[in-house]
């Protein structure tokens, strides 16, 4: 399949559309990002690569990192994750507080902020040096050692992270946070600040398209069954209160971040990452979603 030609065609078709989205300016450091950048990269399980635009430019992966931390917890830790977080779509914005009170401090799923904070708490308790261990995990599955945190972005979010502090304090009051709040927040703000390109992200997610095995190294990250379950969680919870729409329009499991990135996986075939910084009102990349919708329609490669 000549994916590059298809990328060009879709980009050209989307170009004239006015993008009503806004960059994520609630994190001050992200407000400076040039909103007109656009990149896409697809990597097949067989190792073929297809790129277009700013595919090698790094950006803030934000909530896409929740998949890495979840997988690390799911593959390594002894404690039962499902006693600490649910696995149902929340149907609420990523930083919503409303359900947590009713649900006695148990987040609906690991991909909303509350759930990702619980996962960071689990990693804080079980890994020797969580921040280093998380980075080395991502470096291993991509084969790229220069992937790192952006401490400026982490600090910027720390200074304005009122809702995230509210979420973690509420969960702590219910006994669902075991470690010191500041140490868990430090991990959370750092994972959100990781910078990667579309090329690196599509490579990093490839094990989820390959029954849990990293194609370039042969390392088994998750069992085939846990891989299926992780993809199912991305499908139902990866886009917050737009998970239904993403499933309806794109039809692949995936995860978004407020840096404007989206990664989607086609089991047995490929992982694709797209980046366009302007977000729709649900906090997902406006053009990224449109692009992927056109892509799976043109290539007939939705899982449905
Ligand atoms: N760092 C962001 C936050 O906690 C991540 C949100 C996102 O990417 N959806 O608000």
């Amino acid at each position: 399949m000549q994916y590059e030609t298809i990328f060009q065609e879709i980009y050209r078709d989307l170009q004239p559309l006015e993008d009503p989205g806004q960059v994520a300016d609630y994190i001050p450091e992200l407000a400076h990002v040039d909103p007109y950048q656009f990149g896409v990269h697809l990597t097949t399980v067989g190792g073929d690569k297809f790129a277009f635009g700013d595919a090698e430019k790094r950006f803030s992966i934000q909530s896409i990192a929740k998949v890495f931390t979840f997988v690390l917890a799911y593959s390594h830790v002894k404690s039962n994750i499902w006693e600490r977080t649910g696995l149902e779509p929340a149907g609420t914005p990523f930083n919503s507080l409303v359900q947590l009170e009713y649900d006695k401090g148990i987040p609906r799923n690991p991909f909303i902020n509350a759930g990702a904070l619980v996962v960071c708490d689990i990693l804080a308790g079980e890994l020797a040096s969580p921040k280093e261990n998380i980075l080395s995990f991502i470096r291993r599955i991509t084969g790229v050692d220069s992937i790192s945190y952006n401490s400026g972005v982490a600090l910027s979010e720390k200074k304005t992270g009122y809702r995230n502090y509210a979420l973690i304090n509420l969960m702590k009051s219910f006994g669902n946070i075991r470690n010191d709040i500041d140490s868990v927040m430090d991990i959370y703000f750092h994972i959100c600040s990781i910078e990667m390109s579309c090329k690196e992200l599509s490579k990093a997610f490839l094990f989820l398209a390959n029954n849990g095995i990293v194609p370039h190294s042969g390392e088994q990250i998750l069992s085939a069954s846990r891989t299926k379950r992780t993809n199912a969680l991305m499908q139902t919870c990866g886009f917050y209160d737009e998970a239904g729409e993403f499933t309806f329009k794109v039809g692949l499991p995936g995860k978004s971040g407020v840096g404007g990135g989206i990664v989607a996986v086609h089991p047995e075939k490929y992982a694709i990452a797209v980046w366009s910084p302007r977000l729709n009102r649900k906090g997902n990349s406006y053009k990224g979603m449109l692009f992927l919708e056109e892509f799976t329609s043109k290539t007939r490669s939705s899982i449905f």
Side-chain angles (χ1 to χ4, degrees), residues 274-304:
V274 56
W275 173 49
S276 171
R278 290 193 195 207
L279 310 176
N280 64 22
R281 280 184 299 168
K282 304 282 172 89
N284 299 316
S285 170
Y286 176 79
K287 280 210 169 158
M289 284 204 34
L290 279 179
F291 188 93
L292 288 173
E293 179 184 359
E294 286 303 307
F295 179 75
T296 54
S297 303
K298 272 185 195 277
T299 56
R300 302 203 177 160
S301 65
S302 139
I303 62 166
F304 297 106

Side-chain angles (χ1 to χ4, degrees), residues 192-243:
C192 291
S193 81
I194 292 170
E195 295 184 328
M196 291 171 74
S197 66
C198 290
K199 183 179 182 184
E200 290 159 349
L201 278 170
S202 71
K203 200 167 176 198
F205 272 63
L206 220 44
F207 73 95
L208 291 170
N210 195 38
N211 294 304
I213 299 168
V214 178
H216 72 263
S217 64
E219 184 183 352
Q220 179 109 39
I221 303 294
L222 290 173
S223 66
S225 157
R226 287 188 175 204
T227 305
K228 175 192 78 177
R229 292 174 170 192
T230 304
N231 286 334
L233 269 182
M234 290 201 293
Q235 188 77 61
T236 50
C237 311
F239 297 82
Y240 322 111
D241 45 343
E242 210 165 38

Side-chain angles (χ1 to χ4, degrees), residues 5-299:
T5 316
I6 294 168
F7 291 163
Q8 283 162 19
E9 278 171 21
I10 302 173
Y11 184 77
R12 191 196 54 214
D13 293 348
L14 294 184
Q15 237 353 53
L17 293 183
E18 200 203 326
D19 189 337
Q22 299 293 328
V23 297
D25 54 5
Y26 78 99
I27 301 173
E29 276 294 304
L30 296 186
H32 313 309
V33 171
D34 170 4
Y36 296 103
Q37 300 174 95
F38 181 90
V40 55
H41 196 283
L42 182 149
T43 312
T44 67
V45 290
D48 293 328
K49 298 181 181 69
F50 303 91
F52 176 78
D54 302 310
E56 299 200 29
K57 182 138 194 228
R58 286 186 177 157
F59 57 91
S60 195
I61 69 167
Q62 294 294 321
S63 284
I64 296 170
K66 291 171 181 170
V67 178
F68 298 135
T69 44
F70 168 75
V71 166
L72 206 50
Y74 201 28
S75 60
H76 279 70
V77 303
K78 293 178 228 70
S79 55
N80 185 356
I81 299 177
W82 309 120
E83 287 170 1
R84 310 272 309 271
T85 171
L87 39 72
E88 294 296 338
T92 52
F94 59 84
N95 55 8
S96 174
L97 283 143
V98 286
Q99 289 167 344
L100 263 189
E101 173 82 8
Y102 294 117
D103 294 346
K104 300 194 168 28
I106 307 290
R108 287 279 163 101
N109 68 67
F111 294 153
I112 50 174
N113 288 14
L117 288 164
V118 165
V119 170
C120 286
D121 184 53
I122 293 172
L123 294 179
E126 301 218 19
L127 298 178
S129 0
K131 281 197 291 184
E132 286 73 26
N133 300 149
I134 293 164
L135 261 194
S136 55
F137 171 66
I138 297 171
R139 289 173 178 169
R140 224 169 56 236
I141 59 175
T142 49
V144 182
D145 283 344
S146 58
I147 292 169
S148 202
Y149 299 116
N150 179 326
S151 49
V153 172
L155 185 64
S156 175
E157 195 175 354
K158 183 178 179 182
K159 285 186 182 153
T160 53
Y162 307 112
R163 291 191 77 92
N164 287 320
Y165 278 106
L167 289 167
I168 201 166
N169 276 288
L170 189 54
M171 290 191 289
K172 183 96 178 161
S173 77
F174 282 107
N176 199 20
I177 294 291
R178 311 276 155 83
N179 296 278
D180 162 61
I181 282 178
D182 286 334
S183 62
V184 180
M185 293 312 285
D186 186 54
I187 300 171
Y188 178 78
F189 291 137
H190 275 86
I191 61 149
C192 291
S193 81
I194 292 170
E195 295 184 328
M196 291 171 74
S197 66
C198 290
K199 183 179 182 184
E200 290 159 349
L201 278 170
S202 71
K203 200 167 176 198
F205 272 63
L206 220 44
F207 73 95
L208 291 170
N210 195 38
N211 294 304
I213 299 168
V214 178
H216 72 263
S217 64
E219 184 183 352
Q220 179 109 39
I221 303 294
L222 290 173
S223 66
S225 157
R226 287 188 175 204
T227 305
K228 175 192 78 177
R229 292 174 170 192
T230 304
N231 286 334
L233 269 182
M234 290 201 293
Q235 188 77 61
T236 50
C237 311
F239 297 82
Y240 322 111
D241 45 343
E242 210 165 38
E245 189 154 334
F246 191 82
T247 296
F248 187 71
K249 291 184 169 167
V250 178
L252 292 175
K255 185 75 203 79
S256 63
V258 292
I262 300 177
V263 191
V265 169
H266 194 307
E268 314 283 337
K269 286 194 176 152
Y270 62 73
I272 183 169
V274 56
W275 173 49
S276 171
R278 290 193 195 207
L279 310 176
N280 64 22
R281 280 184 299 168
K282 304 282 172 89
N284 299 316
S285 170
Y286 176 79
K287 280 210 169 158
M289 284 204 34
L290 279 179
F291 188 93
L292 288 173
E293 179 184 359
E294 286 303 307
F295 179 75
T296 54
S297 303
K298 272 185 195 277
T299 56

